[in-house]
């Protein structure tokens, strides 16, 4: 379950952008450590519905998205292929920034 502060920050970020949250995908905190997307059923569902049910994904912080570099980059690639934009509510990361030269390393270190 998302902590209240995390959910509130995501909501505030969306409101500043003028976006409406249509769905929350909530995982158990320890699930972000798994090395396979399939081991995270809620995360897998989000990725499968991306581009069909929504066009934007907001995450509280980078380390809440994934604690595994391979899973992080694989999932962001899937979002790109689905033409879904991704960002963190702390404003530090978005899908465009991760793709910039040199930022992929910083993104990986930020886990």
């Amino acid at each position: 379950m998302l902590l209240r502060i995390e959910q509130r920050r995501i909501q505030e970020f969306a409101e500043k952008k003028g976006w409406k949250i249509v769905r929350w995908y909530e995982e158990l905190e320890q699930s972000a450590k798994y090395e396979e997307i399939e081991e995270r059923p809620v995360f897998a569902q989000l990725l499968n519905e991306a581009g069909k049910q929504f066009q934007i994904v907001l995450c509280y912080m980078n380390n809440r998205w994934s604690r595994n570099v391979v899973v992080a980059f694989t999932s962001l690639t899937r979002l790109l292929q689905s033409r879904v934009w991704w960002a963190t509510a702390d404003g530090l990361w978005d899908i465009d920034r991760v793709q910039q030269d040199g930022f992929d390393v910083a993104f990986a270190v930020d886990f």
Side-chain angles (χ1 to χ4, degrees):
M1 175 184 276
L2 286 176
L3 299 173
R4 284 248 183 249
I5 192 165
E6 292 179 8
Q7 199 169 27
R8 187 172 62 241
R9 293 261 169 87
I10 291 168
Q11 184 70 48
E12 289 168 358
F13 186 87
E15 287 173 3
K16 285 179 188 174
K17 298 287 189 179
W19 299 332
K20 178 184 174 190
I21 295 178
V22 296
R23 180 162 184 188
W24 293 94
Y25 292 83
E26 299 179 40
E27 290 187 298
L28 297 174
E29 186 174 327
Q30 66 271 19
S31 67
K33 68 181 179 184
Y34 292 118
E35 296 189 18
E36 299 294 331
I37 290 171
E38 294 73 28
E39 294 180 74
R40 298 175 59 187
V42 175
F43 191 61
Q45 180 183 4
L46 178 148
L47 294 173
N48 289 332
E49 293 177 355
K52 301 169 194 148
Q53 305 288 326
F54 51 85
Q55 299 302 316
I56 298 168
V57 173
L58 297 177
C59 181
Y60 177 62
M61 293 175 59
N62 185 28
N63 68 357
R64 294 291 194 236
W65 183 252
S66 178
R67 291 186 182 97
N68 178 291
V69 176
V70 174
V71 169
F73 283 107
T74 299
S75 60
L76 293 179
T77 298
R78 286 180 61 177
L79 292 178
L80 276 169
Q81 292 169 345
S82 298
R83 300 181 184 266
V84 172
W85 196 76
W86 172 90
T88 58
D90 61 7
L92 295 177
W93 295 104
D94 65 49
I95 204 159
D96 294 332
R97 186 168 190 210
V98 173
Q99 295 179 79
Q100 292 177 4
D101 288 341
F103 281 96
D104 56 342
V105 174
F107 177 75
V109 171
D110 191 37
F111 289 95

